[in-house]
Amino acid sequence: MRQALERLEYRGYDSVGQATISDNKLILKKDKGKISEVHAKINLDDMPGSIGIAHTRWATHGAPSKENAHPHTDCDGCIAVIHNGIIENFMELRKELEDSGHSFESRTDTEAIAHLIEEAVKKGSSLPGAVIDTMRKLKGAFAIAVLSSHDPQRIVCARRESPLVIGIGEHAVYCASDVPAFLPLTNKAIWLEEDEVASLELGKVEIRALRTGEAVKRAPVDVTWTREAAEKSGYTHFMLKEIHEQPQAIRNALRTQRIYHDLVASKLDSAEAVYLIGCGTAYHACLAGSYSLAKLAGLRCQAVIASEFNHVHADLLNRNSVVVAMSQSGETADTLNAVRQSREKGASIIGVANVMGSTLTRLSDVYIGQNSGPEIGVAATKTFTAQVSVLTKLAIILAERRRTIGPEQAAHHLEKLAEVPDAVADVLQKHENKVKDIARRYKDRRSFCFLGRGISEVTAIEGRLKLLEIAYVPSLAYAAGESKHGFIAIVEPGYPVVFVAPKDETHSKIIGNIMEMKARGADVVSVIEEGDDQVRSISDDVIEMPKDIPSVMTPLIYVVPLQLLAYNIAVEKGHDPDRPRNLAKSVTVE
Ligand code: AGP
């Protein structure tokens, strides 16, 4: 099991655990740390039994610790559960279970699953039946595997949204979050579909659909990927895989418990001054957030580059100041430095991070986990859209609290936000090849400029950073209106200008800016709303986005073609988009 886990470590690596059954007893070993560290401490290979489950964790609920490591068990230590995903209603479920006498050991969402299965088994259900009952109570995303000393020859696994695949070996059967876990042992795989549960016994796999309860027959397919390709789920690079993971990453970012948003909204509401700080792409998420907080909730707030913060703003801070610090790694030195200085001044720190247990989460008074899962590619993609999703939801909740929008409008905005993951999936499905073609034709251009107005200036700036950092093309980005005051001097025939031009309140003005560029012979690529013939007629290339996206949400969707443009130009130029030169995934030096 340990070797299988090591092949999945790219998916999560903050704590690890295994459970086996021997002599009808459940054996459990788990601890905080990477697999090699935990193995060195407690020898994960020294576990009796020929049936077991194992987990390497990427914390979403409950910081990395031994108690929060998986597997989680029931009150009697007979049932063990491992889980990948987020259970949205775990707090309600936990309360019900605690009120009926269950005792919990961890702060995770997952542990509620073990106790729910315990309840069903105590009421006479078989293990598969108990898992089905439990799935019906769960809201959110999950891939789970369950082991029980009451049924020692069987593993039951099930999924909703989170991936789960079964491996059919000659003398063994496996289930895993992804193929690399068992690929060296067998390449015969069966992917579980949405809301399916499978019972695994040696030589016997039974799959059932949750909705109908009916048995599902599905033949294994032969996986031809190499291990490296499998880790990338068949994509050529982690960056492309992570661009395609954005629908799920945004869904997960929006799953953070409402109480955290309400808590943060109350702090922002009563603050004298609010700053949003971060570096690189995280700073761009701050820019988008400051726009939505001002536009929707009427909050005066400022996005500031973290490395500049102490030079300019730190002296203005006091106990009534709030600093929102964004960092996917939670370890960026410039951001942490600004946070430490702000704490010294008595300011409240609100952290938004992807890595639970990171320094930023420990320095924050309150933190929101963005739940994007590990991001391997150095260029931030899914963590950007996840961060902007968290801040957009926060802006809507604060706006309702401040009554700058009514409850219906707030509900409408939250509904539109919940539709963004499908809109992103739609853009990826419909327009990836179009962007690839544009990248092929523009790959030799020596410079680009990205222009946008309002919140689209942020999308333009983020698009520029992606092209710069992975394709090494010197590029500019501006608020489109500002382009007349300098940039336009370098525009000559064939100079590529990329416009981010949604049909929002800036639309009529951006048309003028496009005309100015065309008048100087620029090649114009415009990211527009579907059916926007006005901008199409004055652009050389267009990439169409879904209709009726509220302007504060456009960065979440309109950034996707810019990520793909940078990725494809980098590939066309023969660069490795995952490991761009001179850059690190987390910059831990000042
Ligand atoms: C973005 O693609 C870069 N990797 C970089 O600018 C990054 O956003 C920045 O270093 C901040 O990282 P953080 O979110 O981990 O703090």
Side-chain angles (χ1 to χ4, degrees):
M1 285 198 296
R2 178 171 59 81
Q3 290 77 2
L5 270 187
E6 280 164 352
R7 291 191 288 270
L8 287 183
E9 203 162 21
Y10 65 95
R11 298 175 62 91
Y13 34 74
D14 59 43
S15 50
V16 58
Q18 300 182 170
T20 59
I21 293 185
S22 175
D23 297 338
N24 294 337
K25 279 204 182 50
L26 192 74
I27 320 282
L28 190 74
K29 278 191 179 181
K30 62 179 185 176
D31 208 336
K32 178 184 175 188
K34 287 189 161 61
I35 298 171
S36 54
E37 295 157 359
V38 174
H39 178 53
K41 228 161 94 185
I42 60 175
N43 188 358
L44 292 168
D45 294 349
D46 175 20
M47 293 184 75
S50 58
I51 185 167
I53 57 176
H55 185 273
T56 179
R57 185 173 187 232
W58 178 266
T60 58
H61 291 78
S65 68
K66 180 171 180 177
E67 294 68 36
N68 292 336
H70 297 209
H72 290 284
T73 61
D74 64 327
C75 298
D76 306 333
C78 296
I79 296 166
V81 174
I82 52 176
H83 165 228
N84 167 29
I86 297 170
I87 305 300
E88 287 173 32
N89 60 338
F90 83 97
M91 284 185 172
E92 301 91 277
L93 295 170
R94 180 173 177 135
K95 177 143 185 359
E96 278 167 36
L97 289 158
E98 283 176 329
D99 291 352
S100 64
H102 288 261
S103 60
F104 280 65
E105 291 180 358
S106 78
R107 297 174 57 75
T108 66
D109 52 342
T110 304
E111 192 180 349
I113 303 174
H115 294 279
L116 285 169
I117 294 172
E118 175 188 8
E119 278 285 303
V121 165
K122 283 205 170 122
K123 291 191 183 112
S125 291
S126 67
L127 191 60
V131 172
I132 287 174
D133 290 355
T134 299
M135 283 171 79
R136 294 206 165 105
K137 294 195 177 98
L138 302 179
K139 288 202 187 92
F142 57 83
I144 58 173
V146 184
L147 190 63
S148 165
S149 58
H150 304 304
D151 193 347
Q153 308 300 328
R154 182 197 311 268
I155 289 174
V156 177
C157 57
R159 72 159 291 232
R160 181 180 298 151
E161 285 190 27
S162 303
L164 204 150
V165 58
I166 295 166
I168 311 292
E170 229 176 302
H171 308 295
V173 58
Y174 313 91
C175 64
S177 303
D178 206 346
V179 170
F182 55 68
L183 198 54
L185 306 159
T186 177
N187 72 335
K188 298 203 173 312
I190 300 176
W191 270 266
L192 273 196
E193 299 297 336
E194 198 64 6
D195 272 325
E196 285 184 347
V197 56
S199 163
L200 313 181
E201 292 171 79
L202 212 45
K204 195 169 137 202
V205 173
E206 276 180 354
I207 303 174
R208 274 186 195 286
L210 177 73
R211 221 163 27 76
T212 60
E214 273 160 28
V216 176
K217 288 268 167 269
R218 190 170 304 131
V221 295
D222 289 347
V223 179
T224 55
W225 292 331
T226 62
R227 175 181 160 182
E228 205 201 336
E231 283 179 0
K232 296 174 186 141
S233 305
Y235 291 100
T236 332
H237 296 98
F238 279 110
M239 181 180 177
L240 188 60
K241 177 186 175 207
E242 286 148 9
I243 290 173
H244 281 265
E245 284 177 344
Q246 290 184 105
Q248 192 59 41
I250 295 169
R251 261 188 222 103
N252 289 344
L254 296 176
R255 282 203 161 104
T256 305
Q257 309 291 317
R258 172 80 190 229
I259 50 160
Y260 296 110
H261 284 88
D262 290 334
L263 183 57
V264 171
S266 69
K267 278 187 175 292
L268 294 176
D269 196 15
S270 55
E272 237 174 56
V274 175
Y275 300 92
L276 295 95
I277 66 169
C279 300
T281 290
Y283 165 62
H284 299 159
C286 292
L287 281 172
S290 66
Y291 188 97
S292 314
L293 288 162
K295 191 106 179 144
L296 286 178
L299 183 77
R300 289 178 201 289
C301 56
Q302 204 175 343
V304 184
I305 294 171
S307 55
E308 284 300 311
F309 190 69
N310 293 347
H311 304 317
V312 187
H313 302 276
D315 296 341
L316 304 174
L317 296 177
N318 58 42
R319 313 183 58 73
N320 304 317
S321 316
V322 169
V323 173
V324 179
M326 310 283 300
S327 172
Q328 84 86 22
S329 63
E331 302 297 349
T332 297
D334 289 329
T335 307
L336 296 181
N337 230 3
V339 164
R340 289 193 183 94
Q341 185 117 349
S342 305
R343 282 176 67 90
E344 277 163 31
K345 301 280 180 183
S348 299
I349 308 296
I350 295 168
V352 177
N354 191 32
V355 181
M356 293 302 100
S358 59
T359 308
L360 175 59
T361 58
R362 294 198 302 274
L363 288 174
S364 303
D365 300 297
V366 186
Y367 66 82
I368 293 182
Q370 61 180 86
N371 306 324
S372 313
E375 187 173 63
I376 315 284
V378 167
T381 52
K382 65 176 180 175
T383 54
F384 172 68
T385 45
Q387 284 168 350
V388 175
S389 303
V390 167
L391 292 178
T392 310
K393 184 173 177 182
L394 189 58
I396 298 167
I397 289 169
L398 181 62
E400 186 180 3
R401 180 190 174 91
R402 293 179 139 210
R403 295 195 172 80
T404 52
I405 60 175
E408 303 75 41
Q409 257 188 308
H412 172 70
H413 273 307
L414 288 173
E415 268 162 39
K416 290 299 281 183
L417 192 54
E419 291 166 8
V420 166
D422 290 342
V424 171
D426 188 52
V427 167
L428 288 164
Q429 199 254 324
K430 282 191 187 147
H431 301 295
E432 184 166 7
N433 289 336
K434 171 95 191 242
V435 179
K436 232 187 217 159
D437 169 57
I438 295 172
R440 202 173 300 119
R441 287 186 284 114
Y442 282 75
K443 69 176 175 13
D444 299 322
R445 304 301 174 95
R446 293 208 316 280
S447 171
F448 277 73
C449 184
F450 295 79
L451 299 176
R453 295 183 83 108
I455 201 167
S456 297
E457 181 200 353
V458 180
T459 314
I461 292 172
E462 176 57 12
R464 180 272 300 268
L465 175 59
K466 296 294 101 140
L467 188 65
L468 249 169
E469 69 176 320
I470 64 168
Y472 317 142
V473 180
S475 302
L476 306 158
Y478 278 94
E482 187 61 7
S483 62
K484 301 191 290 293
H485 306 284
F487 159 65
I488 201 164
I490 68 165
V491 177
E492 52 195 22
Y495 186 95
V497 181
V498 179
F499 278 91
V500 182
K503 253 192 175 171
D504 61 15
E505 69 282 0
T506 68
H507 191 251
S508 58
K509 291 265 189 306
I510 204 118
I511 289 174
N513 298 129
I514 299 175
M515 304 287 274
E516 288 149 11
M517 295 301 146
K518 283 310 295 173
R520 276 96 186 152
D523 285 346
V524 169
V525 177
S526 298
V527 185
I528 62 172
E529 181 175 295
E530 246 162 51
D532 182 350
D533 296 333
Q534 255 186 311
V535 175
R536 181 201 308 283
S537 64
I538 53 175
S539 306
D540 299 281
D541 284 284
V542 294
I543 308 158
E544 296 184 271
M545 299 293 107
K547 282 183 181 301
D548 308 327
I549 306 292
S551 117
V552 291
M553 297 174 201
T554 53
L556 293 167
I557 299 169
Y558 282 60
V559 77
V560 175
L562 305 186
Q563 295 166 339
L564 288 169
L565 182 68
Y567 170 80
N568 284 293
I569 290 180
V571 171
E572 289 283 343
K573 291 165 83 74
H575 302 312
D576 176 356
D578 283 347
R579 284 180 184 64
R581 67 190 184 202
N582 307 339
L583 288 175
K585 183 63 190 167
S586 179
V587 183
T588 52
V589 291
E590 281 170 57

